[in-house]
Amino acid sequence: MMDVAADTTEKTFIQIAEIWVPEGDRLVHGGGDYGGLGAFEATSRRESFAQGEGLPGKAWAEARPVVLKGFDGSYFKRTEAAAEAGLTAAVAIPVFAGAVLKAVLVVLCGDDDARTGAIEIWSETDGLMMLDDGYYGAAKHFEWVSQHTHFPVGQGLPGGVWAARTPILMRDLGSGYRFIRADSAAKAGLTTGLGLPIPLPSGRSCVLTLLSAKGTPIARRFELWDARASRVGKDGGAVLADGICAREGPLWDEDNPRRVTAWQGLIGRVLGSGLPVAESAAPGLPGGYGAMVALPLHQGGELAHIVAWYV
């Protein structure tokens, strides 16, 4: 039984999601969901980043996800605006198609005693998935456990994504035998896990995990779309392979799967452009949801999967 909070008045773990796209030798603003933080949005829309500059530029230069758990005295360029908005941490996720940078997704969080969740970056080292870095909010014990946990191929959420090379959605983290950190997850109130393989030009295996708590969820609806030709055939498009929703429950139907074509709705926009989307109050959002983020995953230079989450 999935357990995703349905009350849209609750705080969410991620407060902002924004897209930065290459234009010449800089990254420029490509949209975002700012959760009503208008002053920070206005500052961000005026900003751009050279390679290596600021958080988006650092993820571009280093060609890997980057976690920044404090802005004061750091390379973060919008520190004053972030402080006024109550934002204290961010994660930048580059979207590569082969060696080509398509975009950088940046998610920003606030740090208080109530916000619990996890955004983790796992990388292969000596045949094991090891924690590169992560942001956990108030889940300090779970953070400590994670720092002292590693995963062989196929084990746990990071190891499972590594083995399958596909995104995986896990329910009931606190009681699931497949989730190795179940005991500490239960104590932290973590309920739902999303694991994504992040393709890097270096070829190094990298997995992003988003772990959502009931009280301060990362999202209330998750969707995994499969766009591989082996799944959808020569005509293209994408099919909904898995999903859960606080209102509708399980979203997939093996006998009659939902399909989209390029440029059909928000998922179709990702499919057609190969770029991530972060939108609020957009036409086409499921009933009761005010914002969504959709992240494309490329394999062999081709779009293979789209992962979407909604709040």
Side-chain angles (χ1 to χ4, degrees), residues 38-202:
F40 187 81
E41 178 177 4
T43 298
S44 301
R45 288 185 178 277
R46 294 191 297 266
E47 193 58 85
S48 67
F49 300 92
Q51 191 168 10
E53 184 182 29
L55 181 59
K58 186 176 178 67
W60 181 14
E62 298 188 4
R64 65 177 182 88
V66 177
V67 179
L68 184 57
K69 288 180 274 194
F71 298 151
D72 288 342
S74 76
Y75 51 82
F76 193 78
K77 288 182 65 178
R78 296 167 284 165
T79 300
E80 185 175 333
E84 290 175 359
L87 303 166
T88 57
V91 180
I93 304 146
V95 178
F96 282 98
V100 177
L101 180 74
K102 303 286 285 184
V104 177
L105 169 67
V106 176
V107 297
L108 297 103
C109 306
D111 191 7
D112 59 45
D113 292 339
R115 292 188 200 271
T116 296
I119 307 170
E120 303 175 314
I121 310 298
W122 299 84
S123 293
E124 186 272 328
T125 303
D126 298 328
L128 296 168
M129 272 288 155
M130 310 287 286
L131 184 68
D132 260 3
D133 208 345
Y135 177 68
Y136 297 84
K140 302 304 182 186
H141 177 69
F142 186 80
E143 179 176 8
W144 184 89
V145 169
S146 301
Q147 290 168 342
H148 295 82
T149 304
H150 55 262
F151 297 94
V153 64
Q155 187 178 84
L157 183 55
V161 172
W162 182 21
R165 299 183 66 227
T166 64
I168 292 174
L169 191 55
M170 262 190 192
R171 290 88 160 152
D172 302 322
L173 298 186
S175 59
Y177 71 93
R178 293 173 58 210
F179 194 74
I180 305 303
R181 297 168 285 165
D183 183 60
S184 52
K187 291 175 181 175
L190 300 172
T191 57
T192 307
L194 177 62
L196 324 176
I198 302 297
L200 303 179
S202 65

Side-chain angles (χ1 to χ4, degrees), residues 194-310:
L194 177 62
L196 324 176
I198 302 297
L200 303 179
S202 65
R204 188 182 186 195
S205 295
C206 178
V207 172
L208 168 73
T209 57
L210 304 176
L211 308 180
S212 186
K214 184 174 182 179
T216 52
I218 284 176
R220 300 177 182 89
R221 178 184 178 112
F222 296 93
E223 297 174 351
L224 306 186
W225 294 83
D226 194 336
R228 294 173 295 179
S230 60
R231 178 68 186 270
V232 298
K234 59 181 175 58
D235 293 334
V239 62
L240 184 64
D242 198 2
I244 53 175
C245 176
R247 294 174 177 82
E248 300 174 39
L251 298 176
W252 78 97
D253 183 344
E254 291 184 6
D255 297 325
N256 187 28
R258 289 175 53 197
R259 303 181 72 94
V260 297
T261 57
W263 305 108
Q264 179 189 355
L266 293 170
I267 298 299
R269 192 205 304 177
V270 179
L271 189 62
S273 68
L275 299 175
V277 165
E279 293 278 355
S280 58
L285 285 173
Y289 290 95
M292 67 93 77
V293 177
L295 184 65
L297 306 175
H298 297 79
Q299 290 179 357
E302 300 291 331
L303 199 157
H305 303 276
I306 299 170
V307 174
W309 59 92
Y310 301 75

